[in-house]
Amino acid sequence: TAMIDYLDKSLSEEDIKNQRITPALEDKGWNREQMRMEYTYTAGKIKVTNNMAHRKTKKSIDYLLFDDENRPIAIIEAKREEFHHSHGLQQAKQYARELSELSKELDVPFVFSSNGKKFRMFSRYLPEVEKDLEMNEFPTLEELKKLYQEGENYTPEQLDFINQPYYTNSDCFPPRYYQR
């Protein structure tokens, strides 16, 4: 991915995702099955007013990255280029907290934010806690898995158990957000 030196305010957040973030991920070996864009993790609360029910806005994540075993491993919050690359990090951390409250299976160890020029990374396993990355420095899946496994101090037996497929029948669909 080429270094981007100028500020282009005409690019929407969607443009940043499609023209800058997705290509940066693909350059590091992430495929479309591992990158879920606009991942909805709740359909929105139902509010009843005067005996009329209506659903509030659904919550979705710009990118939820999955490992090979279909487990979430990272969240990326995208922002327009005019914002600092760390601008969405707190929002991404909030998404990670909300996902882990829904289910332990949705515990996401890494969160990122990006404005299409740089990434800001947060990991509960790195001593630096937060660090900046150039667009071409986004970690590969193997790098994130290694950090995760080292951070959790898993034994080989635990890793064998953890790496069992979530579902094995080829006729079934992946689990929905509320089934995880």
Side-chain angles (χ1 to χ4, degrees), residues 2 21 26 39 54 79 93 101 123 127 145 167-168 177:
I21 296 174
E26 289 173 337
Y39 182 87
H54 67 278
K79 292 295 177 193
K93 288 178 183 180
E101 289 170 4
S123 166
K145 284 170 75 170
Y167 61 97
T168 57
Y177 69 92

Side-chain angles (χ1 to χ4, degrees), residues 33-67:
E33 289 77 41
Q34 295 166 318
M35 289 186 270
R36 312 275 171 77
M37 292 178 70
E38 298 303 322
Y39 182 87
T40 300
Y41 66 96
T42 178
K45 292 182 179 181
I46 296 175
K47 185 175 180 183
V48 178
T49 308
N50 297 329
N51 291 329
M52 296 288 294
H54 67 278
R55 190 174 293 278
K56 290 189 160 202
T57 307
K58 66 182 180 180
K59 291 188 177 185
S60 61
I61 297 168
D62 287 337
Y63 288 85
L64 187 58
L65 302 182
F66 289 82
D67 67 13

